[in-house]
Amino acid sequence: MPLRFEQPIVDKIEQSRAHIGITDAEIVQMLAAYRLFGFWRIDIETGHFFASEDVHAIFDLPYSNGPVNLAELMSRIHEEDRSLIAETFEQASLHRVGFHFVYRVDNRLGGCKLVRSVGRFRDDESGGGIVGVTYEFVEKLRIVGLEDNTPLR
């Protein structure tokens, strides 16, 4: 199956939010509030993959702030999806583009869950590589959830 890359994000008009008064930190906090929503980076030179706690949880891996064991992470991805993921990262690096894909991950209950990763090539003062987010899809049900502000004990 050939890969198809979509228009780069630079073609999207940046949303105005100064008049709303919402911070980057609040946006990230709300995006991650009710589902696993993790951040990651691949260092192209070393091949190391670094990920936040939620990425480790999505793949049911023990957390560490060092490089992730890519062999173990890839073993959690459905066999039919592994080669497409590898090719996506290769093409993103080669063509310096962004991407997104949905794939299956072992849910550790005898089945799979759907996961989406969105990434983009980065080559700036912070270093070359690919940065992105990964999150789980959740059921499409109407749900209302209120935040519990009870302090943790």
Side-chain angles (χ1 to χ4, degrees):
M1 163 190 256
L3 295 177
R4 180 181 66 83
F5 289 94
E6 296 187 3
Q7 293 299 313
I9 191 128
V10 293
D11 290 345
K12 185 177 183 319
I13 297 171
E14 186 174 332
Q15 292 189 55
S16 168
R17 52 188 176 95
H19 67 287
I20 300 170
I22 188 169
T23 67
D24 290 344
E26 289 169 325
I27 291 169
V28 170
Q29 187 177 37
M30 286 184 283
L31 284 171
Y34 297 104
R35 69 170 64 174
L36 294 174
F37 189 98
F39 306 94
W40 50 264
R41 176 179 61 87
I42 297 175
D43 185 312
I44 299 295
E45 287 185 24
T46 65
H48 288 152
F49 181 85
F50 298 91
S52 67
E53 294 87 344
D54 277 3
V55 171
H56 287 82
I58 289 168
F59 291 94
D60 195 29
L61 297 170
Y63 176 73
S64 81
N65 59 5
V68 174
N69 180 336
L70 278 177
E72 185 66 25
L73 184 140
M74 291 299 283
S75 76
R76 308 293 167 90
I77 296 171
H78 193 282
E79 185 178 353
E80 295 172 1
D81 297 341
R82 289 181 200 149
S83 61
L84 179 61
I85 290 170
E87 185 179 351
T88 300
F89 283 113
E90 182 180 327
Q91 292 297 318
S93 298
L94 182 65
H95 298 290
R96 298 174 174 246
V97 295
F99 60 87
H100 67 96
F101 52 84
V102 176
Y103 52 101
R104 297 163 286 181
V105 171
D106 185 348
N107 68 5
R108 311 307 253 179
L109 300 170
C112 292
K113 59 186 173 185
L114 288 178
V115 172
R116 181 178 190 192
S117 288
V118 179
R120 68 175 184 88
F121 184 82
R122 177 179 77 181
D123 191 12
D124 58 18
E125 67 279 350
S126 59
I130 299 173
V131 294
V133 298
T134 295
Y135 60 91
E136 290 182 333
F137 280 115
V138 294
E139 296 82 9
K140 295 183 178 185
L141 303 172
R142 277 194 284 165
I143 295 174
V144 174
L146 298 175
E147 194 173 70
D148 180 0
N149 289 324
T150 306
L152 296 175
R153 295 178 211 176

